[in-house]
Amino acid sequence: MTLPTHAGVVVIGGGIIGCSTAYHLARDHKADVVLLEQGKLTSGSTWHAAGLVGQLRSSASITRVLKYSVDLYKGLEAETGLATGWKMTGCLRLATNADRWTEYKRLATTAKSFGMDMQLLSPAEVKAMWPLLETGDLVGASWLPTDGQASPSDITQSLAKGARMHGAKLFEDVRVTGFEMKDGRITAVKTSKGDIACEKVVNCAGQWARQVGALAGINVPLQPVKHQYIITEKIDGLATDAPTIRDPDRRTYFKEEVGGLVMGGYEPNPQAWTMGDVPNDWEFRLFDDDYDHFEQHMTQAIARVPALETVGVKQMINGPESFTPDGNFILGTAPECANMFVGAGFNAFGIASGGGAGWVLAQWVVDGEAPLDLWVVDIRRFSNLHRDRQWVCDRTLEAYGKHYTIGFPHEEYASGRPRIVSPLYERLRQQRAVFGSKLGWERPNWFAPEGIEPQDVYSMGRQNWFAAVGDEHRHVREKVGIFDQSSFAKYELTGSDALKALDWICANDVSKPVGRLTYTQLLNTRGGIEADLTVARLAEEKFYIVTGTGFRTHDFSWISDHIGEGLDATLADVTEDFGTLSLMGPRARDVLADVTDADVSNAGFPFGHVREIAIAGHTVRALRVTYVGELGWELHVPIAATGEVFDALMAAGKKHDIRPVGYRALESLRLEKGYRAWGSDITPNDTPQEAGLGWAVKLRKNTDFVGRRALEKTNGTALKKRFAGFTVDDPEIVLLGRETILRNGEPVGYLTSGGYGYTVGRNIGYGYVRNADGVSDDFLASGDYELVVAMERTPAQIHLGPLYDPSMSKIKA
C-alpha cells in the first residue's frame, strides 16, 4: 500500500494506545485517520506486557477511564471477530500489616465512592479462593471482582481490525523521520516512505515518544525501565479462573496463564535502560535474562506460593516499559505545539488503560480540550525541569520503586532535591523548616519546634507535624505570619488587545480600572473550570496574572491557546522574576506600615486592589488578597531583593510576633474559610455554579467568553450537584478526600478534599452532593449526613457557608 499524501489525523505508534486512539477516532468521530508503525503492530512494549487489568485509581476520572477499558474489552470480540483474551477473574490485593490494611479500607471506601464494589476479605476467605497461597501472615485482602486480565497483543490486533473496519488506514514498517512546522504547528509528517500533510498528530510512540516529540521540539518526560517477569510451567491445583494477585508487601504480582503463573514485581532498586535514544530497530526484542536481579522477587514469590519452588520456568521476559516521574501516564495537548497530542508513558498499566485512554484522547484531539478532568495525567503538569534527562531518570526510578509501597498521606519524593529554591531557602532552613517539593520548587510545609526532629514521619493516623501546624495556624489567626510563596506561577499579558483577550478567556469581569485585581476562573466549552487565578491590572495595556505553582505550564498554555488570532496581546512567563511573600493575619497592616511610606490603610489600599509600593528601597507589587480568611497582602518582590524585603518585614514584625508559616497551615486555614482548591475541589468536571462560585462569573454582562453558552443552557435549571462543607467531631478520624458522603443512609457523593480546622477544632471535608432531581437548599439542609471513612460510618454536619468567618471588618478593615 502506498501512503496517502494527506490525512486529518496521523497517529504515530501501533501499540495498544495508538491502535485504541485510531479505533476511537474512526469509530466515534469518523475522522480521516492514518496510523504509522515503524515495525509491526505491538512490536514495542505491548507484546511483552503482563496483561493485568485493574481499574481503581485515586482519581474518579482515571477510574472511569479504566472502567471503560474493561467494558470495551468485554465487547470487542463481538464487533471485530478477534478475541481479546479478556477474563474477568477479579483481583485480590494482599495485606500483611496494619498500615496496609488501613490503606485498603480507604481504597475500598474510594471504590464505593466511585461506584465500584471492593470487598475486604479475611485470610480464610483468601485461602478458600486461592488454595495454593500461603496466608499465615495475612491481615486480610481486598477483592475487586470486576478486575481481570487480557492478552495485550490480541486486544491490540482486535482494536486495529476495528479501526480498519471504521475506515482508519494502518501502515506498518513506516518510520517517522521529522515534521514540517509552520508558526509552531505541524503541517506535515515526514516518513521513510514519503510525507503526509495533516491537521493533527497523535504521538503514541511508547518508549520512542520522547524522541518523536523532540523532532517537533516537544518534551515527553519518560524513562524506559527494565521490567522482568517469569512464566512457569503448569502448576497442579491452579484454577484457570484464579484471581490475579497483587502482593505489594512482597512487591510481587501473579496471574494465571495456560495453567501456570505469570509472576513479576517492582523492586526498590530498578534498572533504567537508556537515557539516550531508544534504538529504532528494537522490534520484538528483549534484554538478556537477569536472574541475579530477579532473585529478590523469586524469594518473595516462593514464600507466598510455595509450589513455585518446584515448578519449572518456561520463559523469563525482561523488556523495557515506559515510566514517568510521578507514576501517572501522559495524555493531552503538547504545550509547545498546539496540534500535537501525546498518549505515552503508561507505567506498565498500558493494557488496563489502553481502551479508555484511546477513548478520551480521541475526543481530546477532536475537541481540542479534554472531555473529563484528566489533570493527573495531563502532559501540561510538567515544566522545563522535566527536560533534564538525569532528573527525570532519578525521579522515575524512585516512582517505580514506590509502585507497591504503602501510600502514606502527604508523602514527598526524595530524589532530585533540592532542585529549585527561593532566595529564602537557607533562612527558612535555619528556622527549622521542613520542605516539600512542587514542580521542582522547595517549599516550607511546616516548621519544627525545638525538640522535634525537622522531618516528616509518615503514618496513617495523625502525623508528627499535626500540633506544630496547629500552632502556625493559630498564629496567623491571632497575630501575623509570613509565607514564602515564591513558587507561584506568574505571567504578564501586554498589548493593546490584552483586555480583549482576557475578556474572552476569563469568566469574571477583568475590565476594571488600573489598580484593581480580579479573582476569576477560566472555563472550557462545557463550562467546567480549567483554571482559577488572579488577574491584576497594572496599566491600561498590562496585566499581571498569578496562579498555582503546579499549574504553570497548563495555565500558560491554556491562556496562549485562547488568545484570539491577530490580537496584539503577548503572554510572558515571569515566574522567576519575582519572589512572593504573603503577609497574613490581623497584625499584617501594622507590619506593612512600618516598612513602607505608602498608605496601607483600608481607605488608601482597599481589598481587591494592587499597588506598587517601596519596601527596603525596592519596588514591590502589593496585592491585597487573602487565601486564609485574614487581613493580608501578597508582596511580589524583584527576585534578587526577596531576602532584603523578608529581613525588613521580620525586623519590623518582631514587636508584632511575626513568624514564618508553611503550606500545611495554609491548607488548614483555607479549609476553614471554604476557599476551593483547583485540581481537587474545582476541576474541569465542575461548573462555577455547582462549585458555589457563580458570583465570580459575568453572565449579567453582555460579553461573550469561553464556556458562556454552556452556562447559559443550565442557568435557571436545577443543579444536579452542589459543593458543600462537612465537619466531623471525632478527633481520631483523618479526612483526606474521596470519603463517601451519605445522606439519609444513601451515597450522594464523596469528599474532594479534607483536613483539620484548628480554629473550629474539627475535621473538615468538602465535596459535591449529587441528586438527579436537583440539589436545592432545602434538599441539602433537610438531610441527615454521615461520612464513610476507611469503611466506617461517622456522623457529619453539613455547612453551606464558611466554617470560619471573622467579621467583615476584620478581613476588610
Side-chain angles (χ1 to χ4, degrees), residues 37-41 43 171-175 280 283-284:
E37 163 54 48
Q38 67 174 353
K40 298 286 187 257
L41 296 185
S43 66
F171 298 90
E172 296 180 316
D173 301 312
V174 180
R175 181 166 300 148
N280 284 321
E283 186 183 346
F284 294 119

Side-chain angles (χ1 to χ4, degrees), residues 357-416:
W359 162 56
V360 291
L361 191 52
Q363 190 79 49
W364 204 330
V365 169
V366 170
D367 293 345
E369 62 182 40
L372 301 171
D373 168 27
L374 297 171
W375 170 240
V376 294
V377 297
D378 193 318
I379 190 169
R380 293 167 298 182
R381 73 189 186 272
F382 300 119
S383 69
N384 281 334
L385 159 72
H386 296 88
R387 292 181 178 276
D388 180 334
R389 297 287 303 128
Q390 188 62 55
W391 191 93
V392 166
C393 181
D394 293 346
R395 179 59 59 91
T396 301
L397 292 180
E398 184 184 5
Y400 180 105
K402 284 183 167 178
H403 192 88
Y404 276 161
T405 58
I406 292 167
F408 287 110
H410 314 292
E411 191 172 351
E412 296 275 353
Y413 282 100
S415 60

Side-chain angles (χ1 to χ4, degrees), residues 23 39 74 125 179 215 265 313 317 343 356 379 397 407 451 715 795 806:
Y23 168 82
K74 279 183 198 168
E125 290 170 309
F179 300 99
L215 294 172
V313 173
I317 305 282
I379 190 169
L397 292 180
N715 216 11

Side-chain angles (χ1 to χ4, degrees), residues 66 114 141 181 200 214 316 378 451 459 497 514 526 598-600 762 776 813:
L66 299 181
F114 296 168
M181 312 278 294
K200 294 176 179 179
M316 173 172 259
D378 193 318
S459 78
D497 293 321
V514 173
R526 305 189 311 279
D599 182 358
V600 294
R762 283 181 286 176
S776 63

